[in-house]
Amino acid sequence: MANDKEIIDNIANKEYEFGFVTDIEMDVAPAGLNEETIRYISARKNEPEWLLEWRLKGLQAFGRQKLPAWQNFEMPPIDFQKISYYAAPKSKKKYDSLDQVDPELLATFEKLGIPLNEQKALAGVAVDVVFDSVSVATTYKEKLKELGIIFCSFGEAVREHPELVKKYVGSVVPYSDNIFAALNAAAFSDGSFVYIPKGVRCPMELSTYFRINTENTGQFERTLIIADEGSYVSYLEGCTAPMRDENQLHAAVVELIAMENAEIKYSTVQNWYPGDKDGNGGIYNFVTKRGICKGANSKISWTQVETGSAITWKYPSVILQGDNSTGEFYSVAVTKNKQIADTGTKMHHIGRNTRSRIISKGISAGQGQNSYRGLVQMGSKADNARNFTQCDSLLIGDRCGAHTFPYIESKNNSATVEHEATTSKIGEDQIFYLNQRGIDSEKAVALIINGYAKEVLNQLPMEFAVEAQKLLSITLEGSVG
Amino acid sequence: MLIIKNLHAEVEGKQILKGLNLTVNAGEVHAIMGPNGAGKSSLASVLAGRENYEVTEGEVWFEGKNLLEMAPEDRAREGVFLAFQYPVEIPGVSNINFLKTAIGEIRAYRNLPPLDAKAFLQLSKEKQKLVEFDAKLVNRSLNEGFSGGEKKRNEIFQLAMLEPLLSILDETDSGLDIDALRIVSKGVNKLRSPKNAFLIITHYQRLLEYIVPDFVHVLYDGRIVKSGTKELALELEEKGYDWLKEKEEVGTN
Ligand SMILES: Nc1ncnc2c1ncn2[C@@H]1O[C@H](COP(=O)(O)OP(=O)(O)O)[C@@H](O)[C@H]1O
Ligand SMILES: [Mg+2]
């Protein structure tokens, strides 16, 4: 019979399931970040002058910025000059069908369980796959086109819809926002672009899979989603990454814009390579995600399941500008071994009767450190604004840590802020209880974890929720006896 | 079905069971009584395989198999069920999903095909009725926010669902009002069969008026010091446990 200690050690030793490298020819920029690199990237992508200018402003802002120092972990030294800022699969052809796609690439997705196949397409998911930095396959495009929905790579949007990109890029996350946002503005490689026209309800979940594949290639994805008046869209982002020796930097930017009566639901399952059990390797995931509820009665909802990365630093936020607008943040963050997660959200209440809801579920195992950091800001005009925050921490073993940093700033007396927090441990009693009903310890932990995270998992689209549940179970397999 | 020979067990270095002998055959109901701290719950824990108990001497055979060598979940799959004195709460895990998982695991262990959704639902309905379990509680999170009585009744519902060979009820009666006690007893009586057996741990004679045992044992200081029929329970109710203590001391001197 394995005891707790053995099983806890066991999980620490569990190899990263998705650690393998695909061998596809890459087109890689020389390492280093300077004007030359930026011009190289921009030229490679045949970008218009205004975008190059914008990138260069980003580069300047990057030069002025310092690494943040307020987070609850020691920032590792990052040598920005050692990173290569551009990688694209050599074959840049777009495909009409999956048969034409590199079979090895497909095999990789298969191994990851990413159902990029006819089945998934039939299931109603349009998949815009970002393999490293350039989109290689897009499905269901025609159907979306009929509705006037634009769903394409960022690069394509720059070419086909420059007026939209020019108007909105950087409007929610300016290039000067923080050092990683500046880095992204300067060097972003590709990403996704979505535009939902007035009154259109996007009939399927839009989904993008990100994947890091080349040594020393930072990932600087940029996503821009605009939901015009009265429209609705649900967007899924998920990722896994192969085994690495060196740390890799991932600094994505996501901007969401919801007009009057529009709703955007953005879901993420993040499973970048977390490093080995001693904390070597692993992805540094510094992400800036922000949405703006521009119009009245609009709604933005972030849901995230964070299981990967050596360091996760992200605070998907909502600016509640329109009256009666709603912002939501649902998060499960898992840290094990030496993983660090410093994540949370910011809700900026500007308009009247704005509402926000924050549900954060941290899970720490091994020596993992999990911090929730939240800011709820009630502006002077935010009459009757309301926030509810529920912030729970679950500890597995006694070498991990959970921390909460809830900040509240209120300039309006009629606004209300509610905060609840709990910390609990997976008890031996709970596991034994389930054992006694014929359920082994691994399944017992999975049940308990999924029960704990249910409120968040329930927010995910059905199909994704099942995958996320599996991921949580795999991640924490054998964590307690 | 169950043979316990000279069982010694300790927890955190403290000797709790000190040479316990007990044999339970299929079709029998045994009551175990004894003062607080005698080791009744410890016996249940050792049989179910709780990790912090260490067996230092003795044997336990269940259906001809060495129970002590089995992991807790395998004991359950073999047919040992413990209705806990203090059932735990597991937030977010629905009672019914939990039972579905449990039944799935138990059936897989026995090389039985999984129950389909319809058959499972059918079974659940049937057992709810049998033990008069509130349908609302079936879909709630496992024991979360249940009253003491509801938790105990949930243990009996689970017992009914899992159909074990040996059921150990650890003070299921404490915390139940008289109506709940009657319902629980009725449920247990309906579940009695020539194929299964019950080990009923209780403080009070009261429960044994409803669930009539074939044998009554007194557990005292880690041993069974007296065994008898249901009349013994009445005697204990009347005289308490002190007279046994004297007797015990005389016996050991
Ligand atoms: N985890 C434990 N650590 C130390 N002592 C324990 C533990 N569990 C039970 N005991 C002790 O074992 C003895 C028997 O307890 P228990 O089996 O619960 O008795 P009963 O159920 O008959 O009231 C008591 O003295 C109790 O304090
Ligand atoms: Mg007891």
Side-chain angles (χ1 to χ4, degrees):
Chain A
M1 233 184 295
N3 61 31
D4 290 3
K5 177 97 178 50
E6 272 169 50
I7 293 177
I8 288 169
D9 288 347
N10 192 7
I11 177 193
N13 289 326
K14 197 167 163 59
E15 293 286 318
Y16 181 65
E17 293 240 330
F18 301 138
F20 44 80
V21 178
T22 319
D23 200 6
I24 293 180
E25 248 190 295
M26 287 284 179
D27 173 8
V28 181
L33 184 64
N34 48 46
E35 201 175 314
E36 212 180 324
T37 323
I38 302 308
R39 287 184 184 280
Y40 171 83
I41 295 169
S42 195
R44 283 302 310 261
K45 299 165 88 57
N46 293 316
E47 284 176 356
E49 190 61 24
W50 63 265
L51 191 53
L52 173 63
E53 290 301 318
W54 192 74
R55 282 182 184 274
L56 291 172
K57 280 189 209 152
L59 180 67
Q60 278 165 16
F62 174 77
R64 291 192 301 269
Q65 302 261 14
K66 285 201 172 60
L67 285 171
W70 42 261
Q71 68 283 353
N72 190 34
F73 59 89
E74 203 177 322
M75 187 68 78
I78 299 170
D79 189 345
F80 291 101
Q81 299 306 334
K82 275 230 173 100
I83 296 168
S84 166
Y85 288 87
Y86 183 77
K90 267 260 168 71
S91 51
K92 288 203 309 227
K93 208 169 158 285
K94 287 265 177 182
Y95 303 102
D96 307 324
S97 97
L98 291 174
D99 306 343
Q100 299 168 353
V101 174
D102 188 331
E104 191 162 356
L105 174 57
L106 292 179
T108 304
F109 287 130
E110 207 62 53
K111 228 191 271 185
L112 287 167
I114 295 174
L116 175 76
N117 48 33
E118 300 301 326
Q119 288 166 27
K120 183 106 181 189
L122 287 171
V125 178
V127 182
D128 176 29
V129 179
V130 175
F131 183 71
D132 259 12
S133 316
V134 173
S135 300
V136 294
T138 304
T139 53
Y140 261 76
K141 231 169 161 173
E142 287 309 308
K143 187 161 180 199
L144 295 173
K145 216 174 184 175
E146 278 169 30
L147 293 162
I149 293 171
I150 306 168
F151 176 40
C152 62
S153 73
F154 202 93
E156 193 180 331
V158 170
R159 286 191 300 277
E160 309 288 329
H161 311 281
E163 67 303 334
L164 281 173
V165 178
K166 198 170 174 180
K167 182 167 177 193
Y168 291 109
V169 70
S171 69
V172 193
V173 180
Y175 55 76
S176 55
D177 192 80
N178 66 73
I179 189 168
F180 301 109
L183 178 64
N184 182 288
F188 76 90
S189 36
D190 209 334
S192 294
F193 178 86
V194 176
Y195 173 79
I196 314 289
K198 279 183 195 173
V200 171
R201 204 183 154 84
C202 185
M204 62 194 82
E205 316 280 350
L206 300 182
S207 122
T208 299
Y209 288 94
F210 296 91
R211 182 162 165 77
I212 291 181
N213 198 267
T214 307
E215 300 274 354
N216 284 322
T217 304
Q219 285 275 297
F220 307 99
E221 306 291 346
R222 195 158 188 112
T223 300
L224 179 55
I225 300 177
I226 303 147
D228 216 330
E229 287 170 25
S231 69
Y232 168 86
V233 64
S234 168
Y235 186 89
L236 318 177
E237 170 208 301
C239 60
T240 59
M243 195 79 95
R244 287 296 120 198
D245 287 323
E246 276 171 73
N247 290 306
Q248 285 189 308
L249 180 62
H250 185 237
V253 169
V254 176
E255 298 178 280
L256 310 182
I257 296 141
M259 303 301 196
E260 201 175 310
N261 292 312
E263 180 176 349
I264 302 175
K265 210 170 144 54
Y266 192 104
S267 312
T268 306
V269 170
Q270 188 267 115
N271 186 26
W272 300 108
Y273 177 54
D276 67 17
K277 65 179 160 46
D278 299 318
N280 298 314
I283 304 299
Y284 294 165
N285 193 28
F286 298 95
V287 182
T288 308
K289 288 183 169 174
R290 193 176 300 146
I292 182 164
C293 287
K294 245 181 149 61
N297 306 310
S298 55
K299 180 175 176 184
I300 288 178
S301 181
W302 297 101
T303 303
Q304 59 175 29
V305 176
E306 304 282 321
T307 61
S309 297
I311 299 174
T312 296
W313 180 96
K314 73 190 259 197
Y315 316 90
S317 307
V318 184
I319 300 167
L320 295 150
Q321 185 183 315
D323 290 346
N324 308 310
S325 60
T326 305
E328 292 176 339
F329 174 73
Y330 295 93
S331 170
V332 180
V334 182
T335 54
K336 60 172 186 174
N337 296 330
K338 301 229 164 132
Q339 269 178 290
I340 294 165
D342 196 303
T343 184
T345 184
K346 290 183 227 166
M347 295 290 174
H348 306 274
H349 291 255
I350 296 169
R352 277 177 302 227
N353 295 314
T354 45
R355 303 267 178 277
S356 65
R357 184 177 170 80
I358 299 171
I359 307 288
S360 163
K361 303 268 180 179
I363 302 170
S364 320
Q367 288 160 270
Q369 294 295 324
N370 214 317
S371 299
Y372 165 79
R373 185 181 302 280
L375 171 64
V376 176
Q377 226 174 26
M378 298 297 189
S380 55
K381 299 215 175 76
D383 294 341
N384 300 313
R386 281 218 305 258
N387 160 265
F388 174 77
T389 300
Q390 168 89 44
C391 181
D392 298 327
S393 308
L394 186 68
L395 302 173
I396 303 176
D398 46 21
R399 290 179 301 165
C400 52
H403 319 271
T404 54
F405 304 96
Y407 301 97
I408 296 164
E409 289 169 19
S410 186
K411 292 186 187 146
N412 189 309
N413 287 333
S414 67
T416 55
V417 178
E418 246 182 290
H419 180 92
E420 287 175 14
T422 66
T423 300
S424 53
K425 265 191 150 184
I426 288 197
E428 274 171 44
D429 284 357
Q430 288 175 321
I431 308 239
F432 181 65
Y433 188 88
L434 297 176
N435 286 161
Q436 214 302 306
R437 301 300 187 248
I439 299 166
D440 67 28
S441 296
E442 282 198 359
K443 281 223 170 69
V445 171
L447 262 181
I448 295 167
I449 296 285
N450 283 315
Y452 168 75
K454 192 160 99 182
E455 221 180 324
V456 175
L457 297 176
N458 279 350
Q459 294 297 322
L460 293 170
M462 187 63 169
E463 207 179 24
F464 223 35
V466 174
E467 278 175 37
Q469 237 179 51
K470 242 189 257 165
L471 182 61
L472 281 183
S473 305
I474 290 172
T475 308
L476 287 163
E477 213 156 76
S479 56
V480 189
Chain B
M1 176 182 290
L2 179 74
I3 302 165
I4 304 175
K5 281 189 203 159
N6 192 31
L7 185 63
H8 288 69
E10 55 182 52
V11 59
E12 284 167 31
K14 188 178 159 199
Q15 191 78 36
I16 309 287
L17 298 182
K18 305 173 178 173
L20 189 142
N21 294 293
L22 181 67
T23 299
V24 177
N25 296 308
E28 295 175 353
V29 173
H30 292 241
I32 296 196
M33 304 182 76
N36 270 326
K40 303 182 297 295
S41 291
S42 298
L43 172 62
S45 293
V46 170
L47 293 178
R50 198 185 271 275
E51 201 180 301
N52 52 350
Y53 280 85
E54 195 189 337
V55 173
T56 51
E57 216 185 313
E59 301 163 26
V60 179
W61 298 91
F62 179 70
E63 294 283 280
K65 292 179 187 159
N66 186 344
L67 195 70
L68 299 178
E69 278 181 353
M70 288 181 217
E73 60 271 22
D74 286 339
R75 300 181 193 202
R77 294 163 183 171
E78 289 283 347
V80 175
F81 182 95
L82 171 57
F84 286 82
Q85 184 172 2
Y86 305 108
V88 298
E89 301 190 2
I90 305 190
V93 176
S94 86
N95 216 353
I96 198 74
N97 271 340
F98 149 69
L99 277 170
K100 200 182 263 170
T101 308
I103 286 178
E105 295 291 304
I106 291 169
R107 289 181 68 91
Y109 181 82
R110 297 178 188 166
N111 290 319
L112 294 169
L115 278 186
D116 62 40
K118 206 175 144 206
F120 178 78
L121 204 70
Q122 179 80 33
L123 181 73
S124 165
K125 286 246 169 73
E126 190 185 299
K127 301 296 184 178
Q128 279 170 51
K129 214 168 140 203
L130 188 74
V131 300
E132 296 177 46
F133 191 65
D134 189 344
K136 279 196 290 279
L137 297 178
V138 173
N139 290 309
R140 287 246 309 258
S141 283
L142 181 48
N143 290 333
E144 194 186 16
F146 283 27
S147 72
E150 286 170 340
K151 284 181 185 168
K152 294 299 181 70
R153 292 183 60 176
N154 194 16
E155 295 294 287
I156 301 305
F157 172 58
Q158 292 175 33
L159 193 164
M161 287 293 284
L162 301 184
E163 301 175 328
L165 290 174
L166 175 68
S167 302
I168 306 164
L169 275 58
D170 191 359
E171 297 206 20
T172 301
D173 53 333
S174 54
L176 289 184
D177 59 35
I178 191 76
D179 291 333
L181 183 74
R182 239 184 242 133
I183 292 166
V184 162
S185 310
K186 219 162 93 187
V188 170
N189 285 330
K190 283 186 205 157
L191 294 168
R192 281 173 82 160
S193 86
K195 284 196 187 121
N196 62 21
F198 288 81
L199 202 57
I200 295 178
I201 296 170
T202 179
H203 257 320
Y204 306 104
Q205 195 279 129
R206 195 178 66 161
L207 175 69
L208 305 179
E209 281 174 12
Y210 296 102
I211 307 173
V212 182
D214 300 300
F215 302 96
V216 175
H217 311 276
V218 182
L219 205 166
Y220 189 88
D221 192 23
R223 259 174 295 213
I224 295 211
V225 295
K226 194 169 173 61
S227 297
T229 50
K230 60 182 196 284
E231 285 73 29
L232 177 58
L234 285 168
E235 204 178 338
L236 289 167
E237 184 99 329
E238 210 173 290
K239 298 201 217 163
Y241 295 103
D242 285 352
W243 61 283
L244 285 161
K245 189 164 145 195
E246 283 150 31
K247 198 177 154 207
E248 164 83 342
E249 271 156 13
V250 171
T252 45
N253 279 350

